[in-house]
Amino acid sequence: MTQGWIGTGKVRAREDGDAVEIVIDGLTTQAKYYKPLVYEFMRKEWQSRPAWGDHVVEILMEHVGDPPWMDLDNLAKALLDSIKGYLFHDDSQVARLLVERFEGERERIIIRSYPRQSKGG
C-alpha cells in the first residue's frame, strides 16, 4: 500500500509497500550538501524504525541538459550516510546498490530502499 508523501520542503518521502522512496528536489555539484539535508529530514520527520537484514538501495539522479559535474560514488556515500539509522541500521546491510544518472524532465534525486528478498522466497 502506498502512503502519502511526508515533507513539504526540498525533501519528501513515502512508504510504498516494503520500499521507502525519498525525493530531493534540485541538484548541486556538492555531494556533501545532501548529507545534512536528508539527515535532518529523516531525524525530524521520519517515523519508521530501521530494519535488519539485507537491503537494496537505488539512487537515481535526474538532470536537465548536461549532467552536474559530480562523482556518483561521493553522492551515494553522502546519501547512504544520511539514511543509515533510519531505513537500515548500518551500511553493511546494503547488499545491492544502484547509482545512476539520466536526463529527464526535472532536476532531482530519487532514493528507493527496500529489503532484499531471499533467493528461496
Side-chain angles (χ1 to χ4, degrees), residues 21-34:
E21 185 174 44
I22 301 168
V23 176
I24 307 159
D25 289 327
L27 294 177
T28 177
T29 58
Q30 298 295 314
K32 63 185 178 184
Y33 163 82
Y34 296 105

Side-chain angles (χ1 to χ4, degrees), residues 5 13 18 23 34 44 48 52-54 63-64 66 73 75 89 92 96 110 113 115 118:
W5 289 99
D18 287 342
V23 176
Y34 296 105
K44 291 178 179 175
S48 297
W52 292 104
D54 286 348
H63 62 88
V64 177
D66 291 336
D73 60 324
L75 176 66
H89 293 274
S92 64
R96 181 170 182 263
I110 302 165
S113 177
S118 64

Side-chain angles (χ1 to χ4, degrees), residues 28-91:
T28 177
T29 58
Q30 298 295 314
K32 63 185 178 184
Y33 163 82
Y34 296 105
K35 183 177 177 179
L37 180 72
V38 176
Y39 175 82
E40 282 301 306
F41 169 83
M42 299 302 286
R43 187 178 71 79
K44 291 178 179 175
E45 302 202 38
W46 193 249
Q47 301 297 316
S48 297
R49 308 288 295 165
W52 292 104
D54 286 348
H55 279 70
V56 175
V57 178
E58 300 168 354
I59 299 171
L60 307 173
M61 177 200 293
E62 185 177 348
H63 62 88
V64 177
D66 291 336
W69 195 259
M70 180 192 327
D71 294 338
L72 289 181
D73 60 324
N74 292 337
L75 176 66
K77 183 63 179 155
L79 293 173
L80 287 174
D81 285 348
S82 70
I83 61 176
K84 175 178 65 180
Y86 295 98
L87 303 186
F88 43 82
H89 293 274
D90 189 78
D91 290 353

